[in-house]
C-alpha cells in the first residue's frame, strides 16, 4: 500500500469560490461570544523546524487544539456554542423572552426541562455535554459502539447520559435523529443533512475562531501568509469553518487547502475525483474515529467544493508515525496527540518521502505550511 492516496480537484470544480462561504457577521458574533467565556485562551501556534527541513519547505506552523477549554479538542468551539444558541431559541419560543448567556449560567428555570442530544465519535459529544452543563440543560449523547471508553467517561464527567449504538457514525446520526423526534429533544449535530442545516452553520461559525487565532499568531510573528493548509476533514465542519475564514480574510492570497482523511473514510477525496458529492462505504477500520465519516455534511461539501485543492487519504501507519514524532518532540515541539489529531502531521511526514506528490502540491522551498493538531490523545 502506498503512503498516501492523493485526489486533486477536478477541472469542472475549478471555479471561483463562493463569496459568502459563511455569514461573516454571524461568525464574528460567535467569535466574540466564545472569547467571553470563562477559561478562554487562544491555543498555541508553534513552528516545527525539523519537519520543515524534512519537507524542504520554508516553514511548518502547527496549531495545537489539545488544551482548548480543558476539553482536549477544537470541538469545544462549536458544540457548546450551538447548545447556547439552541437553548436561547427554545426558551424564547416557549416564553417570548430570549435569555442571556449570564441568565443561563445562573440557572434559567426553563433550561432544566430541555434535553439536547447528538451523535458523536467522542469530541463533539463532549463539547455538547460541557455546554449543557454550563447552560443548565439535560444531555444525551449517542456514540458508536466501538468508541474509545475514555471518551465516553469524559462525556459522562459533564453529567450527560451516554448511549452506545451498533454500527458506524453515519448510522448513529440517523438513530439520534429518530430518538430526538420521538422524545422531543433538540439535536445539536455538527453534520448537516437534508432539512437540518442551521445548527451545523452555527458550529462552523464557532470554528472560525481557530482560523482567526492562526492568522493573528502569524501576523504577531511577522510571518508571511501560509501557502498551504492541511486540515482534517471528517464530515467537513472544521474544514469549512477554517478554510472559509481563511478564504474570506485572505482573498486571492489564501493558502492551498488540502483535506486529510482516513484511507477508507475518504468521502471528500472521492467527491473531488468524481466532481460530485460521493459516499465512502463502511466499514472504515480506522483508529481516526473523529474522521471516520463516509458522508460529508451537505453544506460542507457545497462550501468546500470550489475551495479544496486536494485531499489525501491516510493508511493507519501514517497517523501513528505522526503521533510518535509529536510525542518525541523531535519535530520541534512535544505534543500528545490522538489519532485524528496527529493525522495532518502524519501526512506531512509521509510527503517528505514522496517528492512527486510534493511537486504536484507545490510544496517547494518557498512553501509555508500550516497544520492542526485537532485533539489530544485519550487513553
Amino acid at each position: 500500500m502506498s503512503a498516501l492516496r492523493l485526489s486533486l480537484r477536478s477541472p469542472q470544480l475549478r471555479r471561483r469560490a463562493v463569496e459568502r462561504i459563511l455569514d461573516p457577521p454571524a461568525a464574528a458574533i460567535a467569535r466574540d461570544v466564545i472569547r467571553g467565556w470563562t477559561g478562554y485562551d487562544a491555543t498555541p501556534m508553534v513552528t516545527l523546524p525539523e519537519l520543515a527541513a524534512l519537507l524542504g519547505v520554508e516553514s511548518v506552523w502547527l496549531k495545537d487544539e489539545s488544551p482548548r477549554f480543558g476539553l482536549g479538542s477544537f470541538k469545544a468551539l462549536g458544540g457548546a456554542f450551538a447548545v447556547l444558541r439552541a437553548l436561547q431559541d427554545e426558551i424564547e419560543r416557549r416564553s417570548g423572552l430570549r435569555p442571556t448567556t449570564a441568565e443561563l449560567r445562573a440557572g434559567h428555570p426553563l433550561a432544566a426541562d430541555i434535553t439536547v442530544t447528538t451523535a458523536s465519535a467522542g469530541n463533539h459529544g463532549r463539547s455538547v455535554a460541557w455546554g449543557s452543563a454550563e447552560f443548565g440543560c439535560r444531555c444525551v449523547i449517542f456514540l458508536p459502539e466501538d468508541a474509545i471508553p475514555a471518551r465516553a467517561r469524559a462525556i459522562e464527567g459533564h453529567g450527560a447520559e451516554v448511549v452506545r449504538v451498533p454500527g458506524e457514525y453515519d448510522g448513529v446520526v440517523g438513530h439520534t435523529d429518530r430518538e430526538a423526534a420521538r422524545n422531543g429533544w433538540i439535536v445539536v449535530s455538527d453534520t448537516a443533512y437534508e432539512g437540518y442545516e442551521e445548527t451545523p452553520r452555527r458550529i462552523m461559525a464557532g470554528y472560525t475562531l481557530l482560523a482567526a487565532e492562526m492568522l493573528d499568531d502569524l501576523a504577531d510573528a511577522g510571518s508571511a501568509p501560509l501557502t498551504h493548509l492541511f486540515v482534517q476533514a471528517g464530515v467537513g465542519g472544521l474544514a469549512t469553518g477554517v478554510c472559509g475564514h481563511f478564504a474570506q480574510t485572505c482573498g486571492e492570497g489564501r493558502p492551498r487547502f488540502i483535506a486529510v482523511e482516513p484511507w477508507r473514510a475518504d468521502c471528500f477525496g472521492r467527491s473531488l475525483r468524481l466532481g460530485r458529492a460521493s459516499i465512502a462505504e463502511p466499514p472504515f477500520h480506522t483508529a481516526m474515529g473523529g474522521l471516520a465519516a463516509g458522508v460529508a455534511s451537505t453544506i460542507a461539501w457545497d462550501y468546500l467544493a470550489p475551495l479544496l485543492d486536494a485531499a489525501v487519504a491516510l493508511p493507519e501507519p501514517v497517523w501513528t508515525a505522526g503521533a510518535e514524532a509529536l510525542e518525541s518532540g523531535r519535530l520541534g515541539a512535544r505534543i500528545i496527540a490522538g489519532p485524528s489529531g496527529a493525522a495532518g502531521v502524519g501526512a506531512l511526514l509521509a510527503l517528505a518521502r514522496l517528492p512527486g506528490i510534493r511537486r504536484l502540491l507545490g510544496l517547494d522551498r518557498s512553501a509555508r505550511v500550516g497544520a492542526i493538531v485537532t485533539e489530544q490523545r485519550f487513553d
Side-chain angles (χ1 to χ4, degrees), residues 33-68:
V33 168
I34 296 169
R35 286 188 181 110
W37 289 353
T38 302
Y40 168 74
D41 194 11
T43 51
M45 182 98 153
V46 299
T47 57
L48 300 181
E50 297 302 324
L51 182 53
L54 287 172
L55 282 166
V57 299
E58 180 180 318
S59 59
V60 174
W61 293 84
L62 185 66
K63 178 69 164 171
D64 178 14
E65 286 295 294
S66 61
R68 182 71 73 179

Side-chain angles (χ1 to χ4, degrees), residues 4-8 258 273 310-313 357 360-361:
L4 296 175
R5 181 168 60 238
L6 176 69
S7 300
L8 294 173
I258 299 98
R273 293 196 298 275
V312 292
I357 296 182
L360 285 173
L361 294 175

Side-chain angles (χ1 to χ4, degrees), residues 189-321:
S189 175
D190 60 350
T191 187
Y193 42 89
E194 186 176 354
Y196 184 82
E197 293 188 347
E198 181 59 28
T199 294
R201 287 181 192 276
R202 289 171 167 174
I203 289 172
M204 292 172 187
Y207 294 161
T208 66
L209 181 53
L210 188 161
E213 291 175 358
M214 292 180 73
L215 289 166
D216 288 345
D217 283 345
L218 289 166
D220 290 344
S223 171
L226 296 178
T227 60
H228 298 72
L229 180 60
F230 286 72
V231 58
Q232 289 88 329
V235 298
L238 172 67
T240 301
V242 170
C243 296
H245 188 74
F246 265 91
Q248 288 173 339
T249 304
C250 303
E252 294 299 317
R254 71 162 177 90
R256 296 185 185 185
F257 299 130
I258 299 98
V260 177
E261 304 177 282
W263 188 265
R264 295 181 183 273
D266 61 334
C267 53
F268 281 94
R270 292 171 190 238
S271 299
L272 286 180
R273 293 196 298 275
L274 294 174
R276 55 179 170 78
S278 302
I279 295 173
E281 295 287 350
F284 300 132
H285 302 304
T286 179
M288 292 176 275
L291 307 180
V295 181
S297 170
T298 53
I299 55 177
W301 169 247
D302 289 344
Y303 291 158
L304 290 171
L307 284 182
L308 281 182
D309 294 282
V312 292
L314 315 181
E316 295 302 286
V318 172
W319 78 257
T320 302

Side-chain angles (χ1 to χ4, degrees), residues 20 49 87 104 113 162 260 274 303 312 374:
R20 290 174 67 85
L87 289 176
L104 287 169
D113 294 328
V162 171
V260 177
L274 294 174
Y303 291 158
V312 292
T374 54

Side-chain angles (χ1 to χ4, degrees), residues 52-113:
L54 287 172
L55 282 166
V57 299
E58 180 180 318
S59 59
V60 174
W61 293 84
L62 185 66
K63 178 69 164 171
D64 178 14
E65 286 295 294
S66 61
R68 182 71 73 179
F69 283 114
L71 299 184
S73 89
F74 75 96
K75 295 280 190 178
L77 295 172
F81 176 71
V83 169
L84 169 64
R85 287 292 189 252
L87 289 176
Q88 289 174 322
D89 290 348
E90 180 63 14
I91 291 172
E92 184 176 25
R93 185 187 69 80
R94 294 184 184 187
S95 68
L97 299 173
R98 190 171 184 84
T100 65
T101 302
E103 288 171 337
L104 287 169
R105 285 185 184 276
H108 195 286
L110 292 181
D113 294 328

